[in-house]
Amino acid sequence: MFKAFMTTIMMLLATTVQALADPVANPIPVGIAVAQTSNIALFGEEQVNGAKVAEAYFNAKGGVNGTPITLVFQDTGGDEAGAVNAFQSLLTSHVVAIVGPTLTQQAFAADPIADRAKTPVIAPSNTAKGIPQIGQYVCRVSAPMTAVAPNSLKKALAINSAIKKVAVLYAQNDAFSTSETSVFQEAIKKLGLETVTVQKFQTTDTDFTTQVTAVLGSGAELVVISGLAADSGNLVKQLRQLGYQGQIVGGNGLNSPNMFPVCGPLCAGVLVAQAYSPQADNPVNKAFVELFTKAYKKPPAQFSAQAFACVQVVVEALAKAEKTTGKKITAMDLAEARTALNQAIRTGSYMTPLGEIAIDPSGEIDQKQFFVSTISMNPDGKTGAFVLSK
């Protein structure tokens, strides 16, 4: 009995020693904290899919100098409490970094927790002012709306130079939307346009009769919307159904194919400024688009590309950290690995599906290229595409 017991123990010890020595048995854990449930789950689904493609792509290329990564997923839901719980769970799971959360207002609640734990956070979709300033361990690959939003307004004016009057609508209960609308309103002013009405709504609203009536009564020739996919899609639909025929510019919340079934054929023609296009001409993006389309039977959208870029930054920065320190990440203690990674993230540039990007010492992204696309709907009225505007 005792001999059998000791044999079992020795086998377990041998297995443990082999696992510690074998990097394949000890992949580097990277946390992914995005919304997989709630009213923003459609955004989170895109981010999960993009991150999974990145995991497969970079592990196939050798991971971090031969050591694979493994993604550890936590659902943030759609509120601050969910994001806080997800971050806390990932921190106790000993991840080297956290990609997330989905919403800006979640980031303001959860990011400080990771920053206090000296764990790098890379924001895939938090574009509001103040995200990198949360702490020295917080950065983002999502370009701030100050760099993105004005492009769609300029494109609208290029299409119709006679536009003078603008209606602004935004979700007042969403931190990202309130931040984005302030950027839009400032850009409207700088372009010499007149804001004829500002209408607020909730992300949970489904009836926009009051807001649409105000827009129609204002004589607006351009409507600018800042909200999430479902509410913004319904707003677009009701604007068209009630007779608005002018140009519509959507903010980042409309930057998802998941809004297509919401407004259906009436989505067509909406202009959206983007930090990503599947048509971007660089080798990483071409590989990403091919893999994503093969896996999910549709081309990737911005939220998927940004999640891929987050994972890419982690992988390439981990490799840089190993080169700088002369130590394998798996040979470092967790605190050392997190600190080395955080420093490496902010050095050099990365060729991603978004194009060339860099993270400056403050954690802010420096992105070289942006896009403006027009929504084009397919005959089925439920699917469509973001077509680059020229």
Side-chain angles (χ1 to χ4, degrees):
M1 262 317 261
F2 179 76
K3 184 177 180 180
F5 174 75
M6 288 304 297
T7 300
T8 301
I9 292 296
M10 293 303 294
M11 290 175 63
L12 288 171
L13 284 173
T15 301
T16 301
V17 169
Q18 177 62 27
L20 289 172
D22 183 1
V24 174
N26 285 277
I28 302 168
V30 178
I32 308 291
V34 296
Q36 298 176 58
T37 56
S38 81
N39 64 319
I40 60 167
L42 294 177
F43 290 131
E45 178 187 357
E46 291 181 43
Q47 293 172 320
V48 167
N49 293 345
K52 286 181 176 179
V53 171
E55 179 184 32
Y57 176 76
F58 289 105
N59 280 342
K61 291 172 67 69
V64 180
N65 296 324
T67 305
I69 63 163
T70 184
L71 301 185
V72 182
F73 291 91
Q74 284 291 329
D75 178 18
T76 65
D79 59 14
E80 294 90 331
V84 167
N85 290 338
F87 270 50
Q88 289 174 332
S89 178
L90 288 172
L91 290 171
T92 59
S93 297
H94 308 299
V95 297
V96 295
I98 297 175
V99 173
T102 300
L103 292 181
T104 290
Q105 64 195 48
Q106 292 178 311
F108 285 125
D111 286 5
I113 296 169
D115 187 64
R116 288 193 293 271
K118 296 185 177 180
T119 301
V121 176
I122 308 181
S125 54
N126 307 146
T127 59
K129 181 180 179 181
I131 293 297
Q133 288 72 38
I134 290 174
Q136 63 178 336
Y137 279 79
V138 178
C139 67
R140 60 180 168 190
V141 304
S142 45
M145 287 311 296
T146 50
V148 182
N151 297 322
S152 53
L153 294 175
K154 292 174 183 176
K155 179 59 67 174
L157 291 176
I159 295 171
N160 181 5
S161 60
I163 291 174
K164 299 296 180 187
K165 297 181 179 180
V166 184
V168 174
L169 301 98
Y170 71 95
Q172 63 178 334
N173 63 326
D174 175 56
F176 161 73
S177 298
T178 57
S179 176
E180 182 185 74
T181 193
S182 66
V183 174
F184 270 127
Q185 292 184 53
E186 183 62 28
I188 289 166
K189 188 185 302 181
K190 288 183 178 178
L191 289 168
L193 305 175
E194 178 189 0
T195 300
V196 291
T197 186
V198 176
Q199 295 293 312
K200 303 175 184 178
F201 58 90
Q202 302 285 326
T203 56
T204 52
D205 286 348
T206 56
D207 183 355
F208 298 93
T209 304
T210 300
Q211 292 87 349
V212 173
T213 299
V215 170
L216 296 174
S218 71
E221 300 149 329
L222 173 66
V223 168
V224 178
I225 301 173
S226 293
L228 304 181
D231 47 280
S232 296
N234 274 316
L235 183 48
V236 169
K237 179 170 67 176
Q238 291 173 42
L239 278 163
R240 295 305 192 202
Q241 287 174 336
L242 294 175
Y244 176 72
Q245 297 180 355
Q247 183 67 59
I248 298 175
V249 165
N252 204 44
L254 280 75
N255 219 340
S256 166
N258 290 309
M259 70 164 282
F260 296 162
V262 180
C263 49
L266 299 178
C267 295
V270 173
L271 285 173
V272 182
Q274 299 179 304
Y276 171 71
S277 169
Q279 300 165 50
D281 187 14
N282 74 69
V284 178
N285 185 50
K286 289 179 179 179
F288 168 58
V289 171
E290 181 180 354
L291 289 170
F292 190 98
T293 304
K294 183 177 180 180
Y296 300 106
K297 313 306 177 189
K298 62 181 180 179
Q302 179 174 306
F303 285 87
S304 296
Q306 288 173 322
F308 181 103
C310 285
V311 175
Q312 178 178 353
V313 167
V314 171
V315 170
E316 294 185 4
L318 284 168
K320 286 188 287 186
E322 289 191 345
K323 183 177 180 180
T324 300
T325 62
K327 297 174 64 176
K328 296 288 288 184
I329 291 295
T330 51
M332 300 180 190
D333 65 44
L334 186 58
E336 181 184 9
R338 287 169 169 175
T339 298
L341 171 59
N342 194 58
Q343 293 171 347
I345 284 171
R346 291 158 169 77
T347 62
S349 62
Y350 307 86
M351 180 52 71
T352 74
L354 312 175
E356 184 182 356
I357 66 170
I359 309 296
D360 73 19
S362 75
E364 187 61 273
I365 182 175
D366 176 14
Q367 184 168 343
K368 306 299 183 184
Q369 187 177 15
F370 298 102
F371 310 89
V372 178
S373 293
T374 304
I375 293 178
S376 174
M377 295 300 294
N378 295 327
D380 64 8
K382 296 180 180 179
T383 61
F386 293 98
V387 179
L388 277 182
S389 300
K390 298 182 179 179

